Structures are given as C-alpha cells and as structure tokens.
Amino acid sequence: MSEVNIDQGEILASESEDAKRNLDTLSSLGVRSFDIMGATGSGKTALIETIAHQTGPSIKIGAIAGDVTGSADYDRFREAGISAHNLNTEGQCHLDAELVGKSLQHLPLKQLDILFIENVGNLICPASFPLGVEREIVIISVTEGEDMVRKQPKMFMQSDLLVINKIDLADIIGVNPEIPREDFLQLKPDGDVIFSSAAEGTGIDSLFNAMELNTK
Ligand code: MG
Ligand code: ZN
C-alpha cells in the first residue's frame, strides 16, 4: 500500500505547487483573490453580483465561474459587468489549483483589483483542494438548516469568514441563524460571521469590512 501513499503524496505536492504559483501570480499583480465555497443554491453567484454592483466601476472585478457544466453563472457575471471565465469541470465536483491556473491565463489580470473564484456547489471536497487564493470564504444559506457547520466542520475549519445568507428568510422558515454562527465561532474563535441577504443587498457593508475591501 505504500506505493499508493507515495502517489497521493506526489499529487498533493504538485497541487500545492500549482496553488502557490496561482497566489504568486495574483499577488504580484496586486489582485486580491477569494475562493467562494458553498452548496448549490447558497447564493455564491448572487453574492459576487451584489459585491460588483455595490463597489461600482472604479474597482475592477473578475470571476471564475466554476461549475460541472453549463454557463449560467458565467452569463450572470458578464451581465453584471464582471470580467469572467467559464470553468467547466466536466464532472469533477470541485475546482483544483491546476484548473484555476489555466483559467487565470484567460483573464485580464493586470486590469483586475479583485478576483472571485466561485467553486463548484459542494460543501465537502473543495475543502481538500487549495486553489492559491488570499482568503477562503464559505457561504451557507439559512434554508440549508441549522446544522451545516457541525455536519461539515472541515470546510469551516479552513475558512475564517462565514457568510450566512438569505437571512431575510430565517424567521419565515423557522431557522435560528445564531446556531451556525455559534458553531462556527467555536471552531474559529477569531473568525468573522456575516449575516447577509445577497438578494436584498443587506450585510454587504459588513462583508466589505471583513474582506478589507475599500469601496469608492
Ligand atoms: Mg452559482
Ligand atoms: Zn470533489
């Protein structure tokens, strides 16, 4: 079985080299980079759209739309004025650093201030594949229930910023958003938790502060 272990070790090493290269490329060009992770329907795309609308044209935003197939999110980014690249994984349920590295070649990095990488909708395996970004952000929706953090601790352990989205629906569906908030802060006592409604544009100011983004 040791051969299997060596192979896995080599794969992990090349993964982390790709991730390091991505981060070097982005930071040397002054591009702030964020990996946006969360389940399908949690509001990843809407959050990026809302940020783009609220920052306005003085901050140039780029996005990689990571999806198994299709271009729905890519099309939404383009409509929001975001420089976007569509990254279809053709079945793979997470992005990896090599795929992201290839996508970076299709983006006008020198013009960008911020790059969002929207990971494949999945709260499990994206946690195992660092992409080479400045910061990893997890977004959950109150519609996913109160137990999301305690069910998927690995995902939340590696992020220091949790967005709890669709907060406007919490009362309607009878979910207490304090429960995932407290669970997260137990895992990450220094972490930030933002309550947001990407659809209504609430919580975005707090998110900008937590992300250390200056709006103009
Ligand atoms: Mg999406
Ligand atoms: Zn996967």
Side-chain angles (χ1 to χ4, degrees):
M1 292 305 287
S2 62
E3 276 179 40
V4 172
N5 288 335
I6 290 164
D7 286 349
Q8 284 173 339
E10 283 173 358
I11 291 166
L12 289 174
S14 69
E15 266 289 312
S16 69
E17 266 173 42
D18 286 328
K20 188 176 177 303
R21 194 175 305 124
N22 292 342
L23 186 57
D24 285 348
T25 300
L26 291 164
S27 26
S28 69
L29 294 170
V31 182
R32 311 273 318 273
S33 54
F34 301 92
D35 179 7
I36 309 293
M37 301 182 286
T40 301
S42 55
K44 298 183 295 300
T45 313
L47 189 75
I48 297 166
E49 285 173 321
T50 304
I51 291 171
H53 283 134
Q54 295 204 10
T55 49
S58 60
I59 295 180
K60 295 280 177 257
I61 295 183
I64 294 172
D67 265 307
V68 172
T69 186
S71 67
D73 290 356
Y74 168 76
D75 294 338
R76 283 170 62 180
F77 289 145
R78 295 297 303 269
E79 273 168 38
I82 296 170
S83 298
H85 176 70
N86 197 33
L87 172 49
N88 281 345
T89 61
E90 312 294 351
Q92 181 169 294
C93 52
H94 54 270
L95 299 184
D96 61 45
E98 186 184 1
L99 286 172
V100 167
K102 288 177 184 159
S103 297
L104 293 182
Q105 297 169 14
H106 297 277
L107 286 162
L109 297 181
K110 286 178 187 158
Q111 296 163 28
L112 297 183
D113 299 305
I114 301 169
L115 176 67
F116 291 107
I117 303 174
E118 182 179 338
N119 219 308
V120 178
N122 173 355
L123 261 186
I124 304 169
C125 50
S128 304
F129 296 87
L131 304 181
V133 292
E134 178 185 323
R135 205 159 178 198
E136 286 157 331
I137 298 175
V138 183
I139 175 169
I140 61 175
S141 158
V142 297
T143 57
E144 296 169 68
E146 293 170 343
D147 299 336
M148 298 305 289
V149 175
R150 53 186 76 164
K151 281 183 179 167
Q152 309 294 348
K154 185 173 181 192
M155 171 67 78
F156 298 95
M157 273 305 291
Q158 79 174 58
S159 171
D160 55 3
L161 177 50
L162 171 65
V163 178
I164 300 178
N165 193 33
K166 305 189 190 178
I167 199 71
D168 50 314
L169 301 180
D171 280 349
I172 298 168
I173 60 174
V175 163
N176 179 1
E178 290 297 330
I179 292 174
R181 178 176 176 276
E182 283 164 17
D183 287 346
F184 179 72
L185 291 175
Q186 268 196 333
L187 290 173
K188 307 284 290 190
D190 297 328
D192 289 309
V193 181
I194 308 292
F195 290 147
S196 76
S197 165
E200 296 186 349
T202 54
I204 304 300
D205 283 350
S206 311
L207 184 63
F208 284 155
N209 285 337
M211 294 169 75
E212 296 165 69
L213 296 181
N214 298 317
T215 53
K216 288 175 191 168

